Amino acid sequence: RFMAASAKSKTSEAKQILKQIYVMEQAYRQEYDTYWGNGVTADAANGNNFARIGVQVGANARYSYAMVSAANTFLCTATADIDDDATIDTWTIDQTGTLTNTIDDPST
């Protein structure tokens, strides 16, 4: 149970950064009439890659973030192996603000 609780707590990083990306994408679209960042990725080693929209991925980040965008839509995906198994925890957020855990890595 402790391991599952620990793994679940690590998911807060993805949720926090994805929500920040959503807010900043909305602001970017208001100014430029399009969403930003098609094909851009960011992770602990490349934390400044989302700087254009004001989002910083920290040097201790567990997740990697990948953006797919077009004029009227975007989908940002966060992925990480948070408990050293074969399953990759995957979260997404889209232009509507819908945050989804598409693959839940931590076993319960």
Side-chain angles (χ1 to χ4, degrees):
R1 286 184 182 204
F2 173 76
M3 294 302 287
S6 176
K8 284 281 190 189
S9 72
K10 294 175 184 176
T11 64
S12 64
E13 172 202 316
K15 292 186 263 186
Q16 179 183 15
I17 291 177
L18 288 172
K19 288 177 184 177
Q20 184 180 11
I21 288 169
Y22 167 76
V23 168
M24 300 309 285
E25 280 284 21
Q26 297 306 320
Y28 187 92
R29 186 162 190 263
Q30 285 292 319
E31 186 168 344
Y32 298 103
D33 201 31
T34 188
Y35 288 110
W36 170 87
N38 191 44
V40 178
T41 62
D43 57 21
N46 302 291
N48 291 324
N49 286 0
F50 286 0
R52 180 76 170 103
I53 58 170
V55 176
Q56 173 74 34
V57 175
N60 295 323
R62 293 177 179 96
Y63 285 80
S64 296
Y65 301 85
M67 180 71 70
V68 175
S69 65
N72 297 317
T73 63
F74 82 86
L75 182 72
C76 191
T77 303
T79 57
D81 179 6
I82 59 174
D83 63 358
D84 299 323
D85 64 9
T87 305
I88 303 298
D89 196 51
T90 305
W91 288 85
T92 63
I93 197 161
D94 65 15
Q95 71 281 349
T96 67
T98 302
L99 181 66
T100 306
N101 184 207
T102 59
I103 300 174
D104 190 12
D105 183 15
S107 53
T108 54

